[in-house]
Amino acid sequence: MTTTGNIAITGIPTTAGPDGSFPLRRELRDLQRNFPDHFNLLVLALKDFQALNESVQTSYYQIAGIHGLPYKPWNGVGSNTDWQSTSGFGGYCTHSSILFLTWHRPYLALFEQALYNSVQAIAKQFPDGPLRTKYVEAAKTFRTPYFDWASQPPSGSSAFPSAFTAPTVQVVDVDGKTKSTANPLYRFVFHPVNPSPDDFPAQWSRYPTTVRYPNPRTGQSQDNRVAPILANELASLRTNVSLLLLSYTNFDAFSFNRWDPSTNPGEFGSLEDVHNEIHDRTGGGGHMSSLDTSSFDPLFWLHHVNVDRLWAIWQDLNPDSFLSPRPAPYSTFNSTEGESQTKDTPLTPFWDKSATKFWTSEAIKDTTTTFGYAYPETQEWKYNTPSEYQAAIRQAVTALYGTNVFANFAAANVQARATEHTQLIKSLSLPPPPSVPITAEKPLLITQKMKQSPIPDSLQHLAPNNKYPEWVVNIRAHKHGLGGAFRVIVFLGPIDETDPDSWPTEFNAVGRVSVLARSTTQGGPNTTKCAKCITDAADELMVSGTVPLTSALLQDIVNENTGLQSLQPEDVVPYLKSELKWKVTLFETGEEKDCGEVPGLRVSVASTEVTIGEDGLPDYSGEYVVYPEITDGKPGGLREGEHI
């Protein structure tokens, strides 16, 4: 705290090691398994952080509240009533804007800074001696972990880590004794017990804790529903992350989901779109699925650290690409609607290290010297040249996310997958994957194997000369057209049309585009105070997303009963005309909406040529062909002669 009262966002001040190294933000499961002292500190410190009085500016409650509800200014930036005035201020929302990624980086740094303070305090409470020394030493390199929802889960584990679903967890407490304690990653407990109805609408003030997939009748959280839904669309999600990291080279297209008529068919996806999908699939109508409340769920922070990580990886692959100036879509206390938003636009309410001015997008580009952290894939100091470093990143991405769809699919068997799927739904837990998972720490192993055979012999006929078409479904719609959040789920094959509840776990569900609209229905009981969202609704803001199809098509080729013979257009186009379908449901109720009545909805299919190199890495041509004949005549589908 400064004498002016402005809270400086410093992250964790860090000096590079002798080799240029910085402490790493690590994957949660890696932290729990291989860095138990750090995980122990995470649990104890997060409990301590969450217990802070909610009136404290740097409490968990206050920092979480920056993201949406209760729509109160943080650290004196703005005022309670400004959102209703001509200035248009109503929160700090940057979703569907060019500032989406950059705004969240200092936000995470603030969270990490506050959590780190608790870590240091906890470490010093252990009994004097070797135990305290051990934890004080671990505390020096503590950083917030991330949840990598797109990588293959470790063998035998759930797609949704048990660290999020266990009500209690074993820790070594500050008295030196091992004991069971309430798990702070499982829930945030509001205190007072329920959020004030003055600050939270009835939809949310009814809950004393954060919830996931709440039972519509009892409000009870149903965390066991998350893992099957994460697992069921994992192949498409992994491909989506790969496409973003290795084929998108323009920051604007990569970063946020706002669509405009100049968007080309190879840029309908975005990191914001993938981010939205995880909010949807883990929230299920609970806190994570609403932008107004998601930051109160502890999962939010590890999810967003992963989003920041994926951006950091992309940054180092595309160091010369950054945001283009855009007109501000709404007014705040320090900018006027229509003014240009640039790399120098203040990222309010985050004061920089001087506490006299706000961070800007330009100032937060570097994670190491600015905020004191790196990721396993961004350890640039280990490499002699930029080209060597970038090659290692590409190898890591390919290893983690199965970028080579053929190598990723080689061990798959449709009948076995169907059996696994049935077991998954019955047990509500993920069966062991068919092969040992590959981590970012071991990219060279898979690369050596790929050099021997980039495409398995059994699938070589599907990629003559190591070339094949990558198929995607592109989706766009008015973000606020249905007055709240909704999803478009894409299927390949028959489904139970009468049971929307079953669609997220249908075997033929390929993927989804999730639209995180806030409720903008004027006069409604849950109408948001988000000024940007209200403006976006009036402007009929259009957003877009992508669902990759290639893995699902490969699955159907291997299954000889489908009749699909290849990935080539002459086979795929008629197959998709027959088998491709999509459904729209609302987040809040699960109710199906007629696709033909969803404002602005257009679903299209496109493909681009990919060449797999001898090292197993893909080279995307970047030229996409659109096939309107696949979707013409279907509700919400792109028609012949219509602009995508």
Side-chain angles (χ1 to χ4, degrees):
M1 182 79 73
T2 68
T3 55
T4 62
N6 297 338
I7 297 173
I9 314 304
T10 62
I12 302 173
T14 307
T15 302
D19 59 351
S21 62
F22 284 84
L24 302 183
R25 289 178 172 175
R26 298 184 182 276
E27 212 279 334
L28 175 64
R29 289 161 289 199
D30 177 38
L31 193 78
Q32 188 172 12
R33 178 177 297 179
N34 299 316
F35 301 88
D37 296 342
H38 290 78
F39 182 77
N40 199 77
L41 287 171
L42 169 67
V43 173
L44 295 178
L46 187 56
K47 278 190 64 179
D48 178 74
F49 182 26
Q50 290 179 352
L52 290 177
N53 189 298
E54 292 179 356
S55 64
V56 175
Q57 286 280 290
T58 53
S59 67
Y60 184 96
Y61 178 87
Q62 288 266 349
I63 291 175
I66 294 171
H67 198 262
L69 288 168
Y71 284 98
K72 292 182 177 179
W74 185 79
N75 199 205
V77 181
S79 72
N80 282 327
T81 57
D82 278 351
W83 77 272
Q84 293 177 320
S85 73
T86 55
S87 71
F89 174 72
Y92 308 106
C93 177
T94 59
H95 299 90
S96 301
S97 106
I98 195 66
L99 304 179
F100 167 69
L101 289 178
T102 59
W103 183 89
H104 281 85
R105 181 163 285 175
Y107 188 31
L108 292 171
L110 169 62
F111 175 86
E112 186 166 59
Q113 175 179 332
L115 179 60
Y116 184 79
N117 289 338
S118 287
V119 166
Q120 302 308 305
I122 291 292
K124 293 172 184 175
Q125 292 177 34
F126 282 91
D128 194 13
L131 197 62
R132 180 188 295 180
T133 300
K134 180 175 75 164
Y135 282 108
V136 167
E137 193 62 27
K140 293 176 183 177
T141 57
F142 177 88
R143 298 295 184 271
T144 308
Y146 59 90
F147 167 38
D148 187 1
W149 24 256
S151 64
Q152 190 75 273
S155 180
S157 67
S158 168
F160 195 48
S162 59
F164 290 121
T165 61
T168 60
V169 62
Q170 290 287 113
V171 295
V172 178
D173 208 344
V174 293
D175 59 5
K177 297 178 180 179
T178 299
K179 59 184 71 172
S180 178
T181 190
N183 180 7
L185 291 169
Y186 174 63
R187 297 278 185 273
F188 171 64
V189 180
F190 292 95
H191 50 94
V193 174
N194 291 65
S196 165
D198 295 333
D199 293 337
F200 287 69
Q203 176 188 3
W204 301 113
S205 61
R206 63 182 290 214
Y207 296 114
T209 72
T210 53
V211 292
R212 302 167 191 147
Y213 285 86
N215 181 293
R217 183 175 57 84
T218 66
Q220 185 74 25
S221 190
Q222 303 176 100
D223 295 66
N224 60 351
R225 295 194 62 186
V226 179
I229 291 172
L230 282 178
N232 201 45
E233 300 168 26
L234 182 59
S236 177
L237 175 63
R238 296 179 75 202
T239 302
N240 219 346
V241 170
S242 298
L243 282 169
L244 286 168
L245 293 178
L246 298 183
S247 74
Y248 282 52
T249 58
N250 177 275
F251 176 85
D252 295 9
F254 168 82
S255 63
F256 73 116
N257 67 349
R258 188 185 188 103
W259 179 92
D260 64 50
S262 66
T263 303
N264 73 56
E267 295 181 336
F268 267 61
S270 66
L271 187 51
E272 183 175 13
D273 168 47
V274 172
H275 144 276
N276 291 351
E277 180 181 336
I278 302 304
H279 273 279
D280 175 16
R281 290 164 68 190
T282 60
H287 290 77
M288 267 295 284
S289 56
S290 169
L291 292 179
D292 271 349
T293 57
S294 57
S295 51
F296 291 97
D297 189 326
L299 170 61
F300 171 93
W301 302 101
L302 281 72
H303 163 46
H304 265 276
V305 172
N306 194 47
V307 172
D308 182 77
R309 164 181 163 266
L310 295 174
W311 175 34
I313 290 171
W314 186 91
Q315 279 183 284
D316 286 355
L317 289 174
N318 302 273
D320 297 326
S321 181
F322 201 40
L323 60 83
S324 304
R326 299 264 177 151
Y330 64 106
S331 296
T332 69
F333 69 96
N334 63 6
S335 65
T336 303
E337 181 177 348
E339 285 184 351
S340 184
Q341 285 185 330
T342 72
K343 60 186 176 62
D344 299 316
T345 296
L347 301 176
T348 53
F350 308 121
W351 298 99
D352 72 4
K353 294 178 182 180
S354 72
T356 61
K357 60 184 186 299
F358 295 110
W359 282 109
T360 66
S361 299
E362 178 66 23
I364 57 83
K365 288 168 68 175
D366 179 69
T367 70
T368 54
T369 57
T370 306
F371 293 127
Y373 68 89
Y375 294 104
E377 301 83 4
T378 63
Q379 300 178 70
E380 185 175 4
W381 58 87
K382 288 188 172 185
Y383 301 92
N384 295 320
T385 65
S387 60
E388 181 184 336
Y389 172 47
Q390 290 184 337
I393 293 177
R394 291 188 179 92
Q395 291 168 0
V397 170
T398 297
L400 279 169
Y401 304 120
T403 307
N404 181 339
V405 292
F406 293 95
N408 193 41
F409 188 79
N413 176 283
V414 172
Q415 183 176 0
R417 284 200 62 207
T419 302
E420 288 179 354
H421 180 82
T422 302
Q423 294 171 344
L424 178 149
I425 300 305
K426 286 181 179 178
S427 66
L428 293 178
S429 63
L430 182 68
S435 60
V436 177
I438 300 164
T439 70
E441 304 292 338
K442 301 178 181 177
L444 295 179
L445 178 62
I446 190 170
T447 303
Q448 289 164 358
K449 292 179 179 178
M450 287 177 177
K451 284 181 178 178
Q452 297 172 11
S453 178
I455 298 177
D457 291 342
S458 61
L459 301 173
Q460 186 68 59
H461 66 287
L462 298 175
N465 301 315
N466 289 355
K467 298 178 185 292
Y468 72 94
E470 182 77 51
W471 293 86
V472 298
V473 173
N474 287 328
I475 297 171
R476 61 176 170 91
H478 287 160
K479 181 173 182 177
H480 299 281
L482 295 181
F486 63 96
R487 62 184 68 87
V488 184
I489 306 178
V490 173
F491 305 91
L492 197 55
I495 63 170
D496 182 350
E497 303 268 356
T498 65
D499 185 14
D501 249 8
S502 71
W503 292 345
T505 50
E506 278 277 2
F507 181 64
N508 288 324
V510 178
R512 70 181 67 193
V513 169
S514 302
V515 182
L516 295 188
R518 288 172 161 115
S519 176
T520 55
T521 305
Q522 291 300 315
N526 300 319
T527 300
T528 185
K529 295 180 180 179
C530 171
K532 178 183 183 301
C533 305
I534 294 169
T535 299
D536 287 346
D539 292 344
E540 298 186 340
L541 170 71
M542 193 84 79
V543 294
S544 66
T546 291
V547 176
L549 283 177
T550 308
S551 291
L553 291 169
L554 280 173
Q555 177 179 293
D556 287 357
I557 290 171
V558 174
N559 181 359
E560 297 176 356
N561 295 328
T562 66
L564 183 61
Q565 299 296 312
S566 79
L567 291 173
Q568 301 307 313
E570 58 268 26
D571 289 325
V572 172
V573 170
Y575 186 72
L576 292 181
K577 286 176 71 172
S578 169
E579 301 298 330
L580 182 69
K581 56 179 65 71
W582 51 88
K583 297 286 186 179
V584 174
T585 60
L586 301 179
F587 276 27
E588 189 172 343
T589 63
E591 172 192 357
E592 180 185 5
K593 301 298 289 187
D594 185 335
C595 291
E597 297 179 3
V598 178
L601 179 65
R602 280 296 177 269
V603 179
S604 58
V605 176
S607 73
T608 187
E609 185 178 81
V610 182
T611 302
I612 300 294
E614 288 303 310
D615 58 0
L617 302 182
D619 179 32
Y620 298 90
S621 73
E623 296 180 8
Y624 279 76
V625 178
V626 180
Y627 300 89
E629 63 268 34
I630 294 173
T631 52
D632 193 2
K634 298 181 179 182
L638 184 75
R639 298 187 288 266
E640 292 274 6
E642 191 175 26
H643 181 67
I644 62 167

